[in-house]
Amino acid sequence: MMRPPAPTLAVVGIFSHDGHVAYRKKIRQTWMHTGEAYSVHCRFVLRGNGSASCDEAHREGNIVLLEELPAATPRRTGPLSMLLPWMHYALRTWPAATLVGKADEMTCGSTCPA
């Protein structure tokens, strides 16, 4: 007798910035909350050293602050400097994950505020 395949666990880091509270709020209100029902864990990822988003991280519980990275990292190098620390964090936190990815908050399209 064949066993049903194990559910796939996917983890997505949504790269964000301190000042983008409205973007994160809109994403939470639209598509982000549906992922948990499908074994997709979504977390906002911010550079944490000096971050003004600590209160939001504690309140919302879906923000990963990468403490080893300065919050003031220039946007031009920020996403690349966040990629490997995010991947390491995700694999330590969800060792059963078969898919780990990243997205940028700006890719959420027309659901985000202007």
Side-chain angles (χ1 to χ4, degrees):
M1 180 181 238
M2 293 185 75
R3 291 185 190 173
T8 299
L9 173 61
V11 180
V12 179
I14 305 165
F15 289 15
S16 186
H17 302 280
D18 262 348
H20 294 183
V21 177
Y23 279 98
R24 292 191 293 275
K25 182 178 179 182
K26 189 54 97 171
I27 291 170
R28 283 185 194 105
Q29 291 172 342
T30 55
W31 61 268
M32 187 172 171
H33 67 280
T34 62
E36 301 289 333
Y38 297 101
S39 297
V40 177
H41 295 267
C42 298
R43 299 294 184 267
F44 292 105
V45 182
L46 284 83
R47 295 176 295 275
N49 189 348
S51 175
S53 299
C54 290
D55 289 340
E56 182 188 2
H58 292 293
R59 184 177 62 250
E60 298 294 338
N62 57 11
I63 293 180
V64 173
L65 294 173
L66 299 174
E67 296 293 336
E68 67 271 23
L69 299 174
T73 303
R75 184 170 173 80
R76 186 174 186 175
T77 59
L80 185 57
S81 68
M82 291 170 67
L83 183 59
L84 286 177
W86 158 246
M87 293 292 185
H88 289 294
Y89 175 88
L91 292 173
R92 280 191 320 268
T93 305
W94 295 279
T98 53
L99 302 168
V100 177
K102 80 151 216 47
D104 294 304
E105 66 187 354
M106 302 295 191
T107 61
C108 65
S110 62
T111 63
C112 289

